[in-house]
Amino acid sequence: MKRGIISILAAVMMIVSAQLASAQTFETEKFYIAPEFGAYGTSQKDVDLLLSYGGSIGYFVLDNLSLGLEANGYYADIDRRDFFDSRSSSANGFGFNALIRLYLVNEDPFRLYVGTGIGGLFMDEALVYDGDSDYLTVPVDLGMTVNFTKNFALDIGGRYQRIGFTDKGVDAWGGRAALRIMF
């Protein structure tokens, strides 16, 4: 797992160095806010579905490179194992991520990006049987924005998110959508 994350981060760093001289760019010193919604399936049979809702903010520190913060509420549909499983059938919580995104393709009105980050997820119930309710998270995004106007865009993308780094963790696969407002 650690080698996979390190490989993804190394690939992103190589792409960053190759893309800094792109012709069309998101300009430095612009920022955005984006209300968002996400839905995820998991590879862990204790969790059937994860939903996220909230928002993010970001700032372009370099052309085509943004740093951001994401804060979301989470709902999880939990599959109880048996009568002795003390967990409820659902869990609610709060999560946040610090994100970095690199915009690779910049052809109006479409922009393609890759991103990653690190954060935390704090639930009121353990997601997996005999697991924890607080987790370290690492999201990996591949997405695109579709510009409606200069300041409004639809941001859609796929996300893999590792929730927890023990055998009691969860691999979540899904997508998110946001309406991005640039300033």
Side-chain angles (χ1 to χ4, degrees):
M1 183 66 192
K2 289 180 185 178
R3 279 190 260 165
I5 292 171
I6 290 171
S7 298
I8 290 169
L9 290 174
V12 168
M13 293 307 290
M14 289 184 340
I15 293 169
V16 166
S17 62
Q19 291 295 321
L20 288 178
S22 180
Q24 291 183 329
T25 62
F26 275 131
E27 298 170 1
T28 304
E29 299 182 358
K30 294 229 179 218
F31 82 96
Y32 63 88
I33 60 172
E36 63 184 47
F37 174 81
Y40 308 93
T42 71
S43 59
Q44 173 56 264
K45 60 183 163 183
D46 285 358
V47 183
D48 293 328
L49 174 71
L50 279 171
L51 298 175
S52 67
Y53 49 91
S56 62
I57 60 172
Y59 182 75
F60 284 89
V61 293
L62 296 171
D63 290 347
N64 297 325
L65 182 68
S66 72
L67 299 178
L69 295 172
E70 176 180 72
N72 286 316
Y74 279 84
Y75 168 81
D77 184 23
I78 297 174
D79 195 13
R80 295 181 59 187
R81 287 191 178 183
D82 54 36
F83 177 76
F84 299 106
D85 189 344
S86 63
R87 298 174 304 146
S88 173
S89 61
S90 66
N92 294 291
F94 173 81
F96 67 90
N97 289 309
L99 300 170
I100 183 169
R101 288 189 177 153
L102 175 66
Y103 291 79
L104 304 171
V105 177
N106 294 302
E107 299 296 329
D108 263 337
F110 303 102
R111 307 208 189 278
L112 179 68
Y113 66 84
V114 295
T116 189
I118 191 163
L121 178 61
F122 308 95
M123 303 296 285
D124 62 358
E125 294 273 352
L127 290 179
V128 297
Y129 185 71
D130 288 337
D132 297 321
S133 60
D134 302 330
Y135 302 92
L136 180 66
T137 61
V138 174
V140 178
D141 294 328
L142 175 61
M144 94 176 183
T145 62
V146 179
N147 294 341
F148 299 129
T149 68
K150 182 177 179 181
N151 294 328
F152 293 100
L154 177 64
D155 180 349
I156 54 175
R159 174 176 279 183
Y160 162 76
Q161 186 161 282
R162 177 63 187 175
I163 301 170
F165 286 94
T166 66
D167 60 343
K168 304 290 185 191
V170 176
D171 291 310
W173 302 86
R176 48 173 287 289
L179 178 63
R180 184 165 59 192
I181 305 162
M182 296 281 290
F183 298 96

mmCIF file of all heavy atoms in Angstrom, residues 151-167:
data_model
loop_
_atom_site.group_PDB
_atom_site.id
_atom_site.type_symbol
_atom_site.label_atom_id
_atom_site.label_comp_id
_atom_site.label_asym_id
_atom_site.label_seq_id
_atom_site.Cartn_x
_atom_site.Cartn_y
_atom_site.Cartn_z
ATOM 1 N N ASN A 151 -16.066 32.297 -14.495
ATOM 2 C CA ASN A 151 -16.031 32.125 -13.046
ATOM 3 C C ASN A 151 -16.801 30.921 -12.513
ATOM 4 O O ASN A 151 -16.720 30.637 -11.325
ATOM 5 C CB ASN A 151 -16.555 33.389 -12.366
ATOM 6 C CG ASN A 151 -15.646 34.574 -12.604
ATOM 7 O OD1 ASN A 151 -14.440 34.414 -12.736
ATOM 8 N ND2 ASN A 151 -16.222 35.744 -12.688
ATOM 9 N N PHE A 152 -17.563 30.220 -13.358
ATOM 10 C CA PHE A 152 -18.345 29.067 -12.908
ATOM 11 C C PHE A 152 -17.978 27.837 -13.720
ATOM 12 O O PHE A 152 -17.879 27.898 -14.939
ATOM 13 C CB PHE A 152 -19.848 29.329 -13.056
ATOM 14 C CG PHE A 152 -20.355 30.398 -12.144
ATOM 15 C CD1 PHE A 152 -20.572 31.681 -12.619
ATOM 16 C CD2 PHE A 152 -20.611 30.128 -10.808
ATOM 17 C CE1 PHE A 152 -21.034 32.673 -11.785
ATOM 18 C CE2 PHE A 152 -21.080 31.114 -9.967
ATOM 19 C CZ PHE A 152 -21.288 32.400 -10.451
ATOM 20 N N ALA A 153 -17.809 26.709 -12.997
ATOM 21 C CA ALA A 153 -17.464 25.456 -13.675
ATOM 22 C C ALA A 153 -18.056 24.275 -12.918
ATOM 23 O O ALA A 153 -18.257 24.334 -11.698
ATOM 24 C CB ALA A 153 -15.953 25.295 -13.773
ATOM 25 N N LEU A 154 -18.334 23.212 -13.633
ATOM 26 C CA LEU A 154 -18.722 21.939 -13.049
ATOM 27 C C LEU A 154 -17.447 21.120 -12.895
ATOM 28 O O LEU A 154 -16.691 20.943 -13.850
ATOM 29 C CB LEU A 154 -19.711 21.209 -13.963
ATOM 30 C CG LEU A 154 -20.139 19.819 -13.494
ATOM 31 C CD1 LEU A 154 -20.899 19.905 -12.176
ATOM 32 C CD2 LEU A 154 -20.972 19.145 -14.564
ATOM 33 N N ASP A 155 -17.203 20.639 -11.695
ATOM 34 C CA ASP A 155 -16.016 19.836 -11.382
ATOM 35 C C ASP A 155 -16.498 18.423 -11.081
ATOM 36 O O ASP A 155 -17.217 18.203 -10.110
ATOM 37 C CB ASP A 155 -15.307 20.452 -10.176
ATOM 38 C CG ASP A 155 -14.056 19.702 -9.759
ATOM 39 O OD1 ASP A 155 -13.823 18.591 -10.251
ATOM 40 O OD2 ASP A 155 -13.317 20.240 -8.916
ATOM 41 N N ILE A 156 -16.152 17.454 -11.932
ATOM 42 C CA ILE A 156 -16.542 16.064 -11.726
ATOM 43 C C ILE A 156 -15.296 15.192 -11.764
ATOM 44 O O ILE A 156 -14.346 15.491 -12.483
ATOM 45 C CB ILE A 156 -17.568 15.579 -12.771
ATOM 46 C CG1 ILE A 156 -17.058 15.810 -14.190
ATOM 47 C CG2 ILE A 156 -18.903 16.244 -12.572
ATOM 48 C CD1 ILE A 156 -17.950 15.250 -15.261
ATOM 49 N N GLY A 157 -15.308 14.142 -10.968
ATOM 50 C CA GLY A 157 -14.132 13.296 -10.980
ATOM 51 C C GLY A 157 -14.315 12.006 -10.220
ATOM 52 O O GLY A 157 -15.245 11.847 -9.432
ATOM 53 N N GLY A 158 -13.397 11.100 -10.475
ATOM 54 C CA GLY A 158 -13.337 9.848 -9.759
ATOM 55 C C GLY A 158 -12.369 9.967 -8.607
ATOM 56 O O GLY A 158 -11.402 10.731 -8.668
ATOM 57 N N ARG A 159 -12.638 9.232 -7.565
ATOM 58 C CA ARG A 159 -11.759 9.292 -6.394
ATOM 59 C C ARG A 159 -11.597 7.911 -5.799
ATOM 60 O O ARG A 159 -12.549 7.158 -5.627
ATOM 61 C CB ARG A 159 -12.332 10.233 -5.343
ATOM 62 C CG ARG A 159 -11.532 10.225 -4.035
ATOM 63 C CD ARG A 159 -12.034 11.225 -3.037
ATOM 64 N NE ARG A 159 -11.495 12.532 -3.392
ATOM 65 C CZ ARG A 159 -11.716 13.613 -2.663
ATOM 66 N NH1 ARG A 159 -12.458 13.568 -1.580
ATOM 67 N NH2 ARG A 159 -11.189 14.772 -3.028
ATOM 68 N N TYR A 160 -10.346 7.591 -5.479
ATOM 69 C CA TYR A 160 -10.024 6.457 -4.614
ATOM 70 C C TYR A 160 -9.628 7.080 -3.286
ATOM 71 O O TYR A 160 -8.852 8.038 -3.256
ATOM 72 C CB TYR A 160 -8.865 5.626 -5.183
ATOM 73 C CG TYR A 160 -8.243 4.749 -4.129
ATOM 74 C CD1 TYR A 160 -8.872 3.588 -3.708
ATOM 75 C CD2 TYR A 160 -7.036 5.089 -3.535
ATOM 76 C CE1 TYR A 160 -8.317 2.790 -2.728
ATOM 77 C CE2 TYR A 160 -6.467 4.295 -2.549
ATOM 78 C CZ TYR A 160 -7.113 3.144 -2.156
ATOM 79 O OH TYR A 160 -6.570 2.369 -1.179
ATOM 80 N N GLN A 161 -10.163 6.553 -2.195
ATOM 81 C CA GLN A 161 -9.796 7.091 -0.889
ATOM 82 C C GLN A 161 -9.503 5.941 0.054
ATOM 83 O O GLN A 161 -10.357 5.096 0.294
ATOM 84 C CB GLN A 161 -10.927 7.966 -0.340
ATOM 85 C CG GLN A 161 -10.558 8.663 0.947
ATOM 86 C CD GLN A 161 -11.463 9.841 1.223
ATOM 87 O OE1 GLN A 161 -11.293 10.887 0.629
ATOM 88 N NE2 GLN A 161 -12.402 9.678 2.125
ATOM 89 N N ARG A 162 -8.297 5.933 0.577
ATOM 90 C CA ARG A 162 -7.936 4.944 1.596
ATOM 91 C C ARG A 162 -8.308 5.540 2.945
ATOM 92 O O ARG A 162 -7.874 6.636 3.290
ATOM 93 C CB ARG A 162 -6.445 4.613 1.536
ATOM 94 C CG ARG A 162 -5.988 3.657 2.587
ATOM 95 C CD ARG A 162 -6.642 2.301 2.478
ATOM 96 N NE ARG A 162 -6.278 1.471 3.622
ATOM 97 C CZ ARG A 162 -6.767 0.288 3.847
ATOM 98 N NH1 ARG A 162 -7.606 -0.249 3.012
ATOM 99 N NH2 ARG A 162 -6.402 -0.391 4.899
ATOM 100 N N ILE A 163 -9.119 4.830 3.690
ATOM 101 C CA ILE A 163 -9.591 5.283 4.991
ATOM 102 C C ILE A 163 -8.992 4.352 6.037
ATOM 103 O O ILE A 163 -9.402 3.205 6.147
ATOM 104 C CB ILE A 163 -11.131 5.267 5.045
ATOM 105 C CG1 ILE A 163 -11.708 6.160 3.952
ATOM 106 C CG2 ILE A 163 -11.624 5.684 6.421
ATOM 107 C CD1 ILE A 163 -13.200 6.045 3.764
ATOM 108 N N GLY A 164 -8.008 4.830 6.767
ATOM 109 C CA GLY A 164 -7.316 4.022 7.769
ATOM 110 C C GLY A 164 -6.174 3.247 7.150
ATOM 111 O O GLY A 164 -6.245 2.830 6.004
ATOM 112 N N PHE A 165 -5.109 3.043 7.916
ATOM 113 C CA PHE A 165 -3.926 2.367 7.383
ATOM 114 C C PHE A 165 -3.572 1.105 8.161
ATOM 115 O O PHE A 165 -2.425 0.745 8.297
ATOM 116 C CB PHE A 165 -2.739 3.331 7.339
ATOM 117 C CG PHE A 165 -2.889 4.313 6.221
ATOM 118 C CD1 PHE A 165 -3.468 5.544 6.449
ATOM 119 C CD2 PHE A 165 -2.516 3.974 4.944
ATOM 120 C CE1 PHE A 165 -3.641 6.434 5.416
ATOM 121 C CE2 PHE A 165 -2.686 4.853 3.899
ATOM 122 C CZ PHE A 165 -3.251 6.088 4.142
ATOM 123 N N THR A 166 -4.594 0.425 8.645
ATOM 124 C CA THR A 166 -4.402 -0.874 9.287
ATOM 125 C C THR A 166 -5.276 -1.874 8.533
ATOM 126 O O THR A 166 -5.953 -1.525 7.570
ATOM 127 C CB THR A 166 -4.829 -0.825 10.773
ATOM 128 O OG1 THR A 166 -6.241 -0.605 10.834
ATOM 129 C CG2 THR A 166 -4.098 0.276 11.527
ATOM 130 N N ASP A 167 -5.284 -3.099 9.003
ATOM 131 C CA ASP A 167 -6.152 -4.091 8.370
ATOM 132 C C ASP A 167 -7.627 -3.794 8.642
ATOM 133 O O ASP A 167 -8.500 -4.394 8.038
ATOM 134 C CB ASP A 167 -5.790 -5.499 8.833
ATOM 135 C CG ASP A 167 -5.917 -5.673 10.340
ATOM 136 O OD1 ASP A 167 -5.961 -4.659 11.072
ATOM 137 O OD2 ASP A 167 -5.955 -6.827 10.794
#
